[in-house]
Amino acid sequence: MTATLWSALATGLLSMLMLGDGLALNLLLVAIPATFGTYVAARNAGRQLRRWTVVWGVAGFALLAIPLLRDAGWPSFLALVAALGAGSLALHGGRTWTGMLFGPIGLFTSLVTGPAWGWRGLRARTGGARGNAGPVLRAVAVAVVLLVVFGALFAGADAAFAEILSGLVPDASVSDGPWKAVLLVLGVAGALAAAHTAAAPVQWDRVEVPAGRPRGRVEWALPLVVLAALFAAFNGVQLAVLLGGYDSVLEQTGLTYAEYARQGFWQLLMVTVLTLLVIVFALRWAPRDDTRDRTLVRAVLGTLCALALVVVASAVRRMDMYVDAYGLTRLRISVMAVELWFGLVIVLIMAAGVWGARWLPRAVMASAVAGVLAFGFASPDAMIAERNVQLYERTGTFDLDYARELSADAVPALDGLEEPLRSCALKTVAQELEDDDKPWYATSWGEAHARTVLDGKGVSPDADWRVCSRLGMELTYR
């Protein structure tokens, strides 16, 4: 318990000193003592380190590395949410759907019970004859005071020492004291919550969800067979379009190439979502009395899943067509990634129908975590910039206003544009990087790399708002 308390204190102090300036390497530094304290609490409680605990823990740390690599906030936010889910799975050890989905609830409730548990442990170790941490705490407090007092005096006596000290020590100014105090409390409470969850996890796997009442074969299978026939008809049309070419379809419908692509993507995305819901409810009410029933379930749902994969491929193809015509955006790349993940989930469901579904919950959650990791490591803002630069080179059209909204991750791709378009696209992010004075532990690799790129050429002073505004209009409506 003593090691856990010290780890919680270290987590709180690091949170107070580092997290107020942004998220990058500091997030990993804060997570290290919290993880150590959690591990110690779990071992003291008699829990063994299992394989899936390691998998979820490593995945959580990998997700926390996304803010270190990327300047864009939206993939970092997804990574933090996924890291919370992976951490919950590592602490609770869930393996069923209830364990996977309800695990974060236990983590949030520990934000109340964890600090109380830590307070009881602290009192047991600082009071009475059994207390052994009181002298150590007092010694640390005295040491901190001495460091602060004499460090301030030495910094005032020598400018070179003050410069070195300011680069190594996080800013702890009084002006943002309330926010620092909040970060301290949140860091300690979060570390104690994780440790308490690891020591006494809620067994969500033991929550039993009553099975649905099996339906008769006709009542269960007929609607799904009809739906599969509809899927087959739609996929047949898609195959005819693929073989006959899009030109004949466009002539018949009167749509443009991009309009045809845009018209169907969102509907097909919704079809994929509804198909997954239909499969979930169909499995709940599936007949399961004998071998013939189980064969019927596999045949009907397997066919539906196979046809749904064709729908997924059609949706992805339509979005790719639309991107070829109008360029890539954050929304378009996000929904395409989600659609691809839906396709992977369908494949996992098909595999579960062959090899059993015991492993399916973990596989689905692991695929979601892997997808968020791949999305962050791929640097979506950089992909958007690269694709749009390629579109400009091919068609001469370019959405300058949208390019200026991208993060520093897009700088290397935008740097290849010709002047004055290059300077117009990079002017906003260059100004932000110039004004940014975040410390080293809150600076992402994307920001550092962008600074390196911009230091080589800089931004042309001739690219003022008049030039850029006129250029943006010309390239958008060309």
Side-chain angles (χ1 to χ4, degrees), residues 315-333:
V316 173
R317 173 56 180 155
R318 285 170 183 257
M319 178 55 72
D320 188 57
M321 292 168 56
Y322 191 67
V323 169
D324 280 340
Y326 291 106
L328 193 59
T329 65
R330 289 172 174 175
L331 177 61
R332 292 165 194 169
I333 194 175

Side-chain angles (χ1 to χ4, degrees), residues 453-467:
V453 172
L454 292 172
D455 288 343
K457 298 181 181 179
V459 176
S460 173
D462 296 332
D464 57 21
W465 69 270
R466 296 182 183 86
V467 173

Side-chain angles (χ1 to χ4, degrees), residues 333-420:
I333 194 175
S334 299
V335 295
M336 187 182 295
V338 171
E339 180 72 5
L340 289 172
W341 179 68
F342 283 157
L344 178 58
V345 171
I346 292 174
V347 172
L348 293 175
I349 292 174
M350 295 174 68
V354 178
W355 293 294
R358 182 179 178 85
W359 51 270
L360 184 60
R362 282 175 170 169
V364 171
M365 292 299 175
S367 69
V369 170
V372 174
L373 268 176
F375 193 71
F377 282 120
S379 186
D381 272 16
M383 295 176 63
I384 293 169
E386 291 172 4
R387 192 71 179 263
N388 292 347
V389 169
Q390 294 171 3
L391 178 65
Y392 168 71
E393 295 172 348
R394 189 176 71 251
T395 65
T397 60
F398 189 79
D399 192 340
L400 179 58
D401 290 336
Y402 193 85
R404 297 176 69 173
E405 296 176 1
L406 298 175
S407 66
D409 300 330
V411 168
L414 298 176
D415 185 60
L417 293 169
E418 59 188 12
E419 293 290 357

Side-chain angles (χ1 to χ4, degrees), residues 147-148 150-156 159-170:
L147 284 175
V148 170
F150 283 92
L153 292 174
F154 284 133
F161 182 78
E163 182 68 23
I164 296 175
L165 196 63
S166 63
L168 296 177
V169 179

Side-chain angles (χ1 to χ4, degrees), residues 277-299:
L277 292 176
V278 167
I279 293 172
V280 170
F281 286 108
L283 288 172
R284 179 172 175 80
W285 291 311
R288 43 185 177 268
D289 292 336
D290 52 33
T291 304
R292 289 181 299 176
D293 288 332
R294 290 189 289 272
T295 301
L296 175 65
V297 171
R298 291 177 179 175

Side-chain angles (χ1 to χ4, degrees), residues 236-285:
V237 173
Q238 299 305 297
L239 182 61
V241 171
L242 180 64
L243 296 178
Y246 289 99
D247 293 338
S248 60
V249 176
L250 299 181
E251 290 178 2
Q252 296 174 6
T253 60
L255 299 174
T256 65
Y257 185 77
E259 288 173 344
Y260 177 78
R262 179 180 59 185
Q263 183 186 55
F265 174 80
W266 295 105
Q267 290 88 338
L268 296 182
L269 178 63
M270 184 57 63
V271 165
T272 307
V273 175
L274 293 178
T275 301
L276 289 173
L277 292 176
V278 167
I279 293 172
V280 170
F281 286 108
L283 288 172
R284 179 172 175 80
W285 291 311

Side-chain angles (χ1 to χ4, degrees), residues 36-57:
F36 175 75
T38 299
Y39 172 76
V40 172
R43 290 299 299 268
N44 291 339
R47 295 187 66 189
Q48 299 296 320
L49 188 64
R50 301 184 181 276
R51 178 181 58 186
W52 274 101
T53 302
V54 176
V55 170
W56 297 126

